[in-house]
Amino acid sequence: MRYAIAVARTRHFGHAANECAVSQPALSQQIMMLETVCGTPLFDRLRSGVRLTPFGRDFVELAKAALSASEALDDFALRRKGKPNRPIRFGLIPTVAPYLLPEIFPALTDHLPDLKFIVSEARTESLLEGLGDGSLDIALIASDPPAGGPRLVTALLFEDAFVLATPSAEPTSEPVSLEKLPPDRILLLDEGHCFRDQTISACRLEGERSTRTFAATSLSTIVEFVANGQGVTLLPQIALRKEASDPRIAVHRLDDPHAGRQLALVWREGTPLGETFEAIGDVIRKSRPNAQA
């Protein structure tokens, strides 16, 4: 049922397999066995991915309810112990995971040796869906959870300020005024990334202007374009050690001290593991990387 829910959410067998930490053949085999038991397909296999059949839509909704009940039983049993008897399923957004994990994961292992983790990377919407259907225990995000979803506890971690990355050969005076940046030179992540929305807001690119800029799938791709003189971009402070080490890149302070994002841990309200998740948050705060410009 977890595999079916993951495929329904990602609309892709490979992405679902990565999210569930299994091989794609293993996940596909389990889905086929499930469809055999049900006597009908759950998914239509398309060239561009998969989509739920009408039966599959109903099945997934019932599966979510069944898994939620299973999670409730787990929670009931754990209330007396306050510690998980399985790995904690920890999701992070793509503009945080590659920069923060190398710092925090060793610290979590050292300070909380009794805990085991299954780590996954996904966009904010998918992480919140995972918290809602029970496939994730905690998530590290950089935006406020929208209303209407599961009731969540939010533990603030730290502010992650933005800086401007430009080609090093391009003269730029500091501090940089974002309002004066030519919109057509600002490189953005593609749709669905919260960092894209934060950049659009900081640079005031609302409306049609936000659709006229280049969109990439990762910050590393954008930085390579900047290094080749094809534009400028905002970078979060935690990404500087990895993304700004190229001598072709120059990093500049902004004149807006509020340009940045707030990183936070979120988990479902009422979980018996709240104290454990608070401890995880404390370790992350103490082990945050000191980014170097």
Side-chain angles (χ1 to χ4, degrees):
M1 287 190 292
R2 290 194 190 282
Y3 293 169
I5 291 171
V7 174
R9 181 168 55 248
T10 62
R11 299 183 180 181
H12 194 281
F13 279 90
H15 296 165
N18 290 335
E19 183 178 294
C20 296
V22 297
S23 68
Q24 182 172 337
L27 180 139
S28 297
Q29 183 180 21
Q30 292 295 314
I31 295 294
M32 291 175 64
M33 291 174 61
L34 193 57
E35 290 177 323
T36 299
V37 170
C38 293
T40 187
L42 299 176
F43 301 97
D44 290 325
R45 277 73 167 173
L46 309 172
R47 289 185 179 181
S48 58
V50 297
R51 69 183 177 193
L52 285 164
T53 63
F55 176 86
R57 284 195 295 271
D58 292 339
F59 179 90
V60 165
E61 288 305 311
L62 290 171
K64 288 180 179 179
L67 287 177
S68 179
S70 174
E71 292 287 335
L73 284 173
D74 280 345
D75 288 351
F76 176 76
L78 288 172
R79 285 185 192 280
R80 301 184 63 137
K81 298 195 311 182
K83 290 185 178 180
N85 55 4
R86 55 168 173 74
I88 291 173
R89 297 160 300 187
F90 187 4
L92 301 92
I93 56 175
T95 56
V96 166
Y99 313 118
L100 206 56
L101 275 179
E103 301 289 338
I104 68 172
F105 208 73
L108 289 171
T109 302
D110 289 343
H111 291 86
L112 303 170
D114 293 336
L115 298 183
K116 304 298 180 184
F117 295 89
I118 296 176
V119 178
S120 59
E121 181 181 310
R123 298 182 184 183
T124 303
E125 181 180 3
S126 294
L127 295 181
L128 296 177
E129 288 179 0
L131 291 174
D133 64 33
S135 59
L136 284 179
D137 296 308
I138 56 173
L140 201 162
I141 62 175
S143 58
D144 293 330
R151 298 183 65 176
L152 302 175
V153 175
T154 300
L156 301 181
L157 297 175
F158 55 85
E159 292 282 346
D160 189 21
F162 295 163
V163 297
L164 182 72
T166 68
S168 57
E170 186 175 293
T172 304
S173 58
E174 294 188 14
V176 177
S177 171
L178 292 178
E179 293 183 1
K180 296 180 180 179
L181 291 177
D184 59 350
R185 297 208 65 221
I186 301 173
L187 307 180
L188 300 172
L189 289 173
D190 60 7
E191 295 283 353
H193 288 278
C194 60
F195 186 69
R196 171 192 173 91
D197 298 334
Q198 292 156 356
T199 300
I200 289 173
S201 176
C203 298
R204 293 173 173 80
L205 295 177
E206 290 84 354
E208 184 182 355
R209 294 197 304 170
S210 66
T211 65
R212 294 181 179 178
T213 60
F214 169 86
T217 57
S218 71
L219 287 179
S220 296
T221 300
I222 289 180
V223 168
E224 187 60 32
F225 273 79
V226 173
N228 287 314
Q230 294 174 285
V232 300
T233 194
L234 293 186
L235 287 177
Q237 192 79 13
I238 63 169
L240 295 187
R241 279 198 292 182
K242 180 178 176 65
E243 303 296 359
S245 59
D246 191 323
R248 298 174 297 165
I249 294 288
V251 174
H252 307 281
R253 293 180 295 106
L254 304 177
D255 67 352
D256 181 358
H258 302 295
R261 59 183 182 173
Q262 173 73 57
L263 301 186
L265 277 182
V266 291
W267 59 84
R268 285 185 70 112
E269 189 177 275
T271 175
L273 302 178
E275 290 186 6
T276 297
F277 298 158
E278 289 283 4
I280 291 172
D282 288 339
V283 172
I284 293 175
R285 293 184 194 97
K286 293 174 183 176
S287 59
R288 59 175 291 190
N290 296 315
Q292 299 173 358

